[in-house]
Amino acid sequence: MGEANNEYKPCYILAIETSCDETAVSVVKDGHEVMSNLISSQIETHKAFGGVVPEVASRKHVESITLMLDEAVAASGIKKSELSAIAVTQGPGLVGALLVGVVAAKSLAVALDKPLIGTHHIAGHIYANRLVQEIQYPCMVLVVSGGHTELVYMEKEGQFDVIGRTRDDAVGEAYDKVARSIGFPYPGGPHVDRTAMESEESITLPRAWLEPNSYDFSFSGLKSAVLNVINQRKMRGDPPIHEAIARGFQESVVEVLVTKAIRAVKSYDVKQLLLCGGVAANRGLRSELSRRCAEEGINLAIPPIEYCTDNAAMIGAAAYLKWCEGQFTSLDMLADPQLSLEDWAANKMV
Ligand code: KG4
Ligand code: ZN
């Protein structure tokens, strides 16, 4: 019989995510077992405006968060008193949207007398992979979302070294802007993906490789090239070639992302490549990255689509790192729209 203090006690983290246009609440056991995972999307509301309207996003989060907290706890089968900690996305994201989750998490932490864990949104995207399998360190992560495009080297659990980032638009943002210029509704990424996969024609568009050894990205030149093609055709009275543009755009994006990720994997000699973020749902990227990794003998992990786009289970998985370190966040914590991944990992956040 073991000592009483050595006995295994499950850790149940209630996690809240409100950094953009999804209100999400989840209960995660031991950092990887999803007990409940609720998501309320605001896409229909923002569609009318062609993009996320921050004030509207905050108001929508306020409307749904209380009910969703109750429902996520009920669906998990865990009593509120059994929860171990309350986690919330502290940043990065839209400040007003983040604030709704942060205030809800603080209130719950006080009312239930549970520790609070401020969590980094991108750490969440990365640890979405832990919801489906063990992560093998050292690893390289390709983060592709609406707000971020990064290559992150992780020597060990909880250590993040951002070796490359976008110098202008994030890849999801470029997808959404190109989609808008073609006339697709918000968010246009999935529409461009589908059109690209179905198109038989393609046009050649530029690839932004930057300096020879750089792991940084740039997508604004590509976006402008797409707009030029569309405008020139319009001025000449030529019929639109949306399918070929979607395919050409996707080919350019995928080639750059895949090539840089594989080069990073080889030069850092890692055991695994992880893909994450909303654009990890992209079929073209998933299939080309899988094909190239198989060719190169690289162990690739990609979360299922439900854990690629914003969700709270991933926040519960990342918060578990802090739980294991006993690193809790004070109740005067502030939402931080610019929170850095490295600062969060080093417990340097506000
Ligand atoms: O990670 P995410 O849910 O939110 C952020 O943290 O930004 O990513 C949302 C982004 C949007 O730009 C959306 O258009 C893009 O992910 N996205 C896609 C696909 N599914 C979602 N982009 C390209 N192809 C897709 N299949
Ligand atoms: Zn996200």
Side-chain angles (χ1 to χ4, degrees):
M1 267 211 346
E3 297 281 324
N5 58 1
N6 283 341
E7 266 169 32
Y8 164 72
K9 204 167 165 262
C11 163
Y12 296 110
I13 294 181
L14 175 89
I16 303 171
E17 154 63 41
T18 62
S19 68
C20 191
D21 60 345
E22 327 276 353
T23 317
V25 185
S26 173
V27 176
V28 180
K29 182 182 174 190
D30 295 337
H32 62 94
E33 201 179 315
V34 181
M35 312 293 290
S36 64
N37 188 27
L38 301 190
I39 303 177
S40 166
S41 171
Q42 306 176 357
I43 284 177
E44 286 309 316
T45 309
H46 297 290
K47 230 179 207 169
F49 304 99
V52 178
V53 183
E55 291 79 3
V56 176
S58 310
R59 194 163 356 113
K60 283 272 160 194
H61 287 311
V62 171
E63 280 168 17
S64 42
I65 189 79
T66 313
L67 191 61
M68 287 187 64
L69 284 168
D70 286 340
E71 282 183 8
V73 174
S76 73
I78 308 294
K79 294 197 216 79
K80 277 187 180 152
S81 59
E82 289 176 280
L83 292 171
S84 312
I86 312 297
V88 62
T89 305
Q90 183 179 358
L94 301 170
V95 68
L98 289 165
L99 208 58
V100 179
V102 166
V103 169
K106 285 183 184 176
S107 316
L108 213 54
V110 170
L112 301 174
D113 193 21
K114 306 286 178 190
L116 178 70
I117 306 179
T119 306
H120 194 282
H121 184 75
I122 298 302
H125 274 303
I126 294 172
Y127 275 86
N129 279 285
R130 184 64 192 91
L131 298 171
V132 279
Q133 63 178 86
E134 291 273 0
I135 297 173
Q136 294 171 32
Y137 301 98
C139 67
M140 188 62 67
V141 194
L142 176 60
V143 182
V144 281
S145 75
H148 291 79
T149 308
E150 288 172 356
L151 273 166
V152 183
Y153 171 65
M154 294 183 69
E155 192 182 334
K156 55 180 194 211
E157 179 151 287
Q159 189 172 308
F160 308 90
D161 184 6
V162 181
I163 63 160
R165 48 169 57 83
T166 182
R167 295 186 185 170
D168 39 61
D169 290 356
V171 64
E173 193 182 349
Y175 261 97
D176 293 338
K177 287 178 180 165
V178 163
R180 196 172 173 168
S181 65
I182 295 181
F184 289 135
Y186 176 84
H191 296 282
V192 175
D193 185 16
R194 198 192 50 248
T195 310
M197 297 303 279
E198 286 167 3
S199 172
E200 283 168 13
E201 310 276 319
S202 181
I203 56 164
T204 305
L205 289 164
R207 274 103 174 109
W209 296 112
L210 307 176
E211 305 79 44
N213 291 317
S214 175
Y215 291 116
D216 280 354
F217 301 96
S218 166
F219 296 104
S220 69
L222 173 62
K223 180 190 66 189
S224 305
V226 166
L227 293 180
N228 278 345
V229 172
I230 293 174
N231 290 337
Q232 277 169 14
R233 291 188 70 85
K234 239 187 225 161
M235 277 181 333
R236 287 200 301 258
D238 293 342
I241 48 163
H242 295 339
E243 289 81 5
I245 290 176
R247 184 162 157 194
F249 170 77
Q250 183 142 309
E251 282 169 351
S252 169
V253 168
V254 168
E255 189 183 331
V256 172
L257 290 175
V258 170
T259 306
K260 293 208 177 204
I262 302 252
R263 181 156 56 79
V265 165
K266 286 185 178 168
S267 62
Y268 281 76
D269 195 21
V270 295
K271 294 201 177 118
Q272 199 173 37
L273 172 63
L274 310 180
L275 180 66
C276 68
V279 184
N282 185 275
R283 280 196 292 156
L285 178 60
R286 290 169 90 95
S287 76
E288 181 59 9
L289 195 59
S290 305
R291 189 188 70 75
R292 290 281 287 117
C293 284
E295 228 171 58
E296 301 280 352
I298 295 167
N299 179 339
L300 172 68
I302 310 183
I305 291 188
E306 61 186 306
Y307 297 141
C308 287
T309 43
D310 287 350
N311 64 87
M314 69 184 199
I315 300 303
Y320 185 67
L321 300 175
K322 299 289 180 191
W323 167 265
C324 293
E325 293 173 2
Q327 280 289 348
F328 303 124
T329 314
S330 93
L331 284 170
D332 52 17
M333 174 259 268
L334 302 171
D336 182 352
Q338 312 286 352
L339 185 64
S340 116
L341 187 53
E342 283 110 334
D343 285 354
W344 175 76
N347 302 311
K348 283 196 217 141
M349 65 269 204
V350 192

